[in-house]
């Protein structure tokens, strides 16, 4: 029904879609590089976790692109109204065209849409009778991908074993001066490192800005190098 490709000329919608695609690209590139592949190489996760992440990412961007270019149910200029259905049609007071009841005129798109739900700037398109299912798919896969990413982030910091190839105890100056190899101190757990940075062992207080930091007593074998 209607056109197969529907393109809306709206700079605001382009900006919203560009932001969504940027976030999707960032997560699709950074999350596997920082979390999935390193933990897979060290045997903490299976290849199935990587495949599931890319599967969710692929379906998320596919539903976004399809929902953005699909015809939401735009009415033709001269619709043919069956005689038996004329009582279910009405005149639009904005575009002066006949439309089925439950249709609405979108001021941003400039035309009436059958069973229009709303105009979504994030897909730069109306959500109507013909693409409502695609919009629901987008919401579903976005929720799945976001939840999966949050779970991976949580496991990376609280559940997975620390990565052996990275040294989280070095400072930025040490990294820039390439003196990491000269540091022979034992490797601290990440919880100890963050506790020293935030000045408390209570993890919930790491997120509270309304307090004063108190330096922690560092064990000697961790503090004998500056």
């Amino acid at each position: 029904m209607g056109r197969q490709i529907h393109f809306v000329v709206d700079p605001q919608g382009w900006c919203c879609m560009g932001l969504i695609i940027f976030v999707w690209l960032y997560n699709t590139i950074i999350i596997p590089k920082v979390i999935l592949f390193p933990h897979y190489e060290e045997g903490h996760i299976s290849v199935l976790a990587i495949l599931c992440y890319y599967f969710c990412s692929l379906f998320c961007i596919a539903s976004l692109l399809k929902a953005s270019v699909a015809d939401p149910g735009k009415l033709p200029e001269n619709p043919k109204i069956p005689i038996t259905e004329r009582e279910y049609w009405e005149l639009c007071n904005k575009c002066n065209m006949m439309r089925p009841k439950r249709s609405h005129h979108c001021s941003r798109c400039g035309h009436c849409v059958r069973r229009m739900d709303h105009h979504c700037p994030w897909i730069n398109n109306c959500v109507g009778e013909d693409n409502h299912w695609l919009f629901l798919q987008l919401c579903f896969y976005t929720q799945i991908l976001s939840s999966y990413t949050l779970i991976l982030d949580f496991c990376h910091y609280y559940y997975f074993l620390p990565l052996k190839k990275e040294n989280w105890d070095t400072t930025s100056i040490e990294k820039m001066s390439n003196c990491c190899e000269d540091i022979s101190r034992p490797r601290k757990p990440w919880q100890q490192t963050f506790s020293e940075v935030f000045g408390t062992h209570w993890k919930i207080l790491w997120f509270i800005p309304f307090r004063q930091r108190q330096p922690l007593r560092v064990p000697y074998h961790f503090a004998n190098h500056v």
Side-chain angles (χ1 to χ4, degrees):
M1 299 178 65
R3 299 178 181 177
Q4 295 183 351
I5 297 180
H6 182 73
F7 186 77
V8 179
V9 180
D10 183 9
Q12 179 183 357
W14 295 344
C15 292
C16 292
M17 274 203 66
L19 179 61
I20 292 295
I21 294 176
F22 171 78
V23 173
W24 175 83
L25 284 174
Y26 180 85
N27 286 334
T28 304
I29 296 174
I30 298 301
I31 294 300
K33 182 179 180 180
V34 174
I35 299 179
L36 291 175
F37 290 134
H39 285 287
Y40 171 73
E41 293 176 357
E42 297 192 6
H44 300 163
I45 60 175
S46 66
V47 68
L48 183 61
I50 300 177
L51 294 177
C52 288
Y53 188 84
Y54 278 116
F55 173 84
C56 294
S57 180
L58 175 63
F59 274 63
C60 183
I61 192 64
S63 58
L64 170 64
L65 295 178
K66 287 202 65 176
S68 64
V69 299
D71 182 6
K74 178 181 178 181
L75 292 170
E77 295 183 359
N78 297 312
K80 296 182 179 180
I81 307 175
I83 299 178
T84 57
E85 298 182 5
R86 288 185 177 178
E87 59 179 316
Y88 303 107
W89 287 63
E90 61 186 7
L91 181 66
C92 176
N93 57 4
K94 295 182 179 180
C95 60
N96 295 323
M97 290 179 56
M98 295 298 295
R99 66 185 185 186
K101 292 184 178 180
R102 300 184 63 186
S103 301
H104 296 279
H105 185 90
C106 178
S107 57
R108 188 168 292 273
C109 294
H111 55 74
C112 291
V113 178
R114 295 190 309 274
R115 295 188 181 183
M116 176 181 170
D117 187 82
H118 68 286
H119 181 91
C120 180
W122 301 108
I123 65 173
N124 192 32
N125 200 357
C126 288
V127 178
E129 184 179 48
D130 291 347
N131 71 340
H132 203 161
W133 64 283
L134 293 170
F135 179 78
L136 294 178
Q137 281 188 358
L138 173 61
C139 294
F140 173 76
Y141 286 115
T142 301
Q143 183 68 30
I144 293 296
L145 184 62
S146 301
S147 301
Y148 197 3
T149 302
L150 290 176
I151 292 173
L152 288 174
D153 290 339
F154 177 84
C155 292
H156 177 66
Y157 290 106
Y158 291 95
Y159 182 75
F160 293 147
L161 295 175
L163 294 174
K164 299 178 181 178
K165 296 182 180 180
E166 298 186 28
N167 194 329
W168 295 98
D169 300 331
T170 57
T171 63
S172 299
I173 296 179
E174 292 168 345
K175 293 178 181 178
M176 294 175 63
S177 60
N178 296 323
C179 66
C180 299
E181 296 179 356
D182 298 333
I183 300 177
S184 59
R185 60 183 174 182
R187 186 173 185 272
K188 292 181 292 187
W190 68 267
Q191 296 94 334
Q192 177 68 24
T193 302
F194 276 87
S195 297
E196 294 175 12
V197 172
F198 287 99
T200 178
H201 291 290
W202 293 90
K203 297 182 178 61
I204 188 63
L205 296 180
W206 295 353
F207 304 93
I208 305 300
F210 307 104
R211 64 181 181 86
Q212 290 185 348
R213 178 183 178 275
Q214 299 295 332
L216 293 180
R217 294 177 59 88
V218 182
Y220 175 77
H221 60 280
F222 286 144
N224 56 6
H225 288 280
V226 178

